Amino acid sequence: MRIPLIAGNWKMYKTPDEAKFFCERFKELYKDTDVQALICAPAVDIFAVSEAFKGTDIKVGAQNVYFEKEGAFTGEVSVDMLKASGCEFCIVGHSERRQYFGETDETVNKKAKALLEGGLRPIICVGEAEEIRVAGTQNDHVKNQLKGAFAGISSEDAKKCVIAYEPIWAIGTGRVATPEQAGDMCSFIRETLIGMYDEDTADEMIIQYGGSVKPENISDIMDMPEIDGALVGGASLDPDKFMNIIDF
Ligand code: PGA
């Protein structure tokens, strides 16, 4: 049985004080649902968010990590640092990181391996740009991203990974993929995982949809049988909206 995972991706928003303010309101609103709630905060907010959520079952994650254990890597944050700050998850390969910060399938793979080795769960983002969808080659594109991201990862470790399918044309644009487009790609991802691993492994893996998810569209998205949750950007910044998404 896969427990749905709905994660907020705050991107580069909220100071630690603003993060605490969010958490206090979110805790007031929070009620147990069948969904696992997660907030992926900017690195400087992680500690404050984990402190605020102590004693609740709301999980905390990061948005990026460096794959080396430690060393002279100015500006980077390690897996151990994230873990000690209260993280259980970390997003890797978000399209914004691929676009602006040179993230490649190879670095995604190294980061995923480092996270797994340190006991954190990677949320591996995949998804196509608009021109790829127009050309009709989105399945090949996503399959290649999956192969790159999971190279050398055992099936035991793969089960701990989350995949977020985020079509780039739907991120922050208000242009949500139709539930069918999202559902079809998530089914294709599950099939690809069966090919890469086996049915049991693929069956345990959480596949999220991301891209303009809101309280108004979450239930249609979650109705799709192969979609196990969502990665929510803009709408996760407001505690009331994010709670409405979790309690869809
Ligand atoms: P959005 O972002 O919900 O604002 O479209 C999703 C994401 O980038 O993870």
Side-chain angles (χ1 to χ4, degrees):
M1 242 326 252
R2 301 188 292 265
I3 297 168
L5 175 69
I6 297 189
N9 171 14
W10 281 356
K11 308 195 178 186
M12 201 173 74
Y13 290 99
K14 295 192 191 294
T15 62
D17 276 346
E18 289 165 346
K20 269 190 235 163
F21 190 75
F22 173 101
C23 294
E24 291 317 316
R25 173 72 184 150
F26 190 64
K27 280 197 295 186
E28 276 170 29
L29 300 166
Y30 185 72
K31 51 178 182 275
D32 245 338
T33 63
D34 296 337
V35 168
Q36 174 64 60
L38 166 68
I39 292 289
C40 295
V44 294
D45 297 341
I46 289 169
F47 192 68
V49 173
S50 332
E51 286 293 304
F53 287 158
K54 256 195 191 135
T56 73
D57 62 5
I58 307 159
K59 307 273 188 205
V60 184
Q63 302 169 14
N64 184 36
V65 68
Y66 194 52
F67 48 77
E68 294 289 354
K69 224 173 156 37
E70 60 180 6
F73 302 108
T74 301
E76 294 298 317
V77 169
S78 73
V79 172
D80 287 349
M81 290 171 189
L82 294 182
K83 198 172 171 182
S85 310
C87 281
E88 288 182 54
F89 291 82
C90 180
I91 299 172
V92 284
H94 190 281
S95 60
E96 286 149 17
R97 295 214 57 87
R98 293 179 194 255
Q99 185 181 350
Y100 305 123
F101 304 102
E103 196 90 86
T104 62
D105 290 336
E106 197 186 336
T107 55
V108 169
N109 177 248
K110 286 186 177 170
K111 290 178 179 192
K113 283 177 172 161
L115 287 163
L116 289 160
E117 202 181 301
L120 266 72
R121 296 181 62 186
I123 300 178
I124 296 170
C125 299
V126 295
E128 79 286 357
E130 174 138 46
E131 54 276 19
I132 296 176
R133 176 140 302 247
V134 170
T137 52
Q138 66 272 15
N139 287 11
D140 288 344
H141 179 80
V142 167
K143 190 177 194 170
N144 282 336
Q145 287 182 320
L146 289 171
K147 288 201 159 150
F150 283 91
I153 293 180
S154 69
S155 71
E156 248 352 274
D157 275 344
K159 287 178 187 168
K160 298 172 196 149
C161 297
V162 175
I163 294 166
Y165 167 58
E166 299 205 306
I168 297 169
W169 46 271
I171 296 178
T173 58
R175 264 183 69 201
V176 63
T178 64
E180 291 72 25
Q181 284 173 323
D184 285 354
M185 181 58 89
C186 292
S187 300
F188 173 75
I189 291 173
R190 185 99 50 209
E191 255 159 53
T192 304
L193 294 169
I194 294 175
M196 284 163 56
Y197 293 100
D198 51 64
E199 200 135 351
D200 281 358
T201 306
D203 227 36
E204 281 194 37
M205 292 174 71
I206 300 281
I207 305 176
Q208 299 175 314
Y209 166 77
S212 300
V213 173
K214 297 181 185 61
E216 299 76 41
N217 57 29
I218 183 72
S219 78
D220 287 345
I221 292 166
M222 294 299 287
D223 269 350
M224 296 288 120
E226 297 303 338
I227 300 183
D228 311 313
L231 186 55
V232 186
S236 73
L237 295 169
D238 177 309
D240 292 73
K241 272 194 195 159
F242 192 53
M243 191 58 223
N244 283 337
I245 292 176
I246 285 165
D247 191 22
F248 62 91

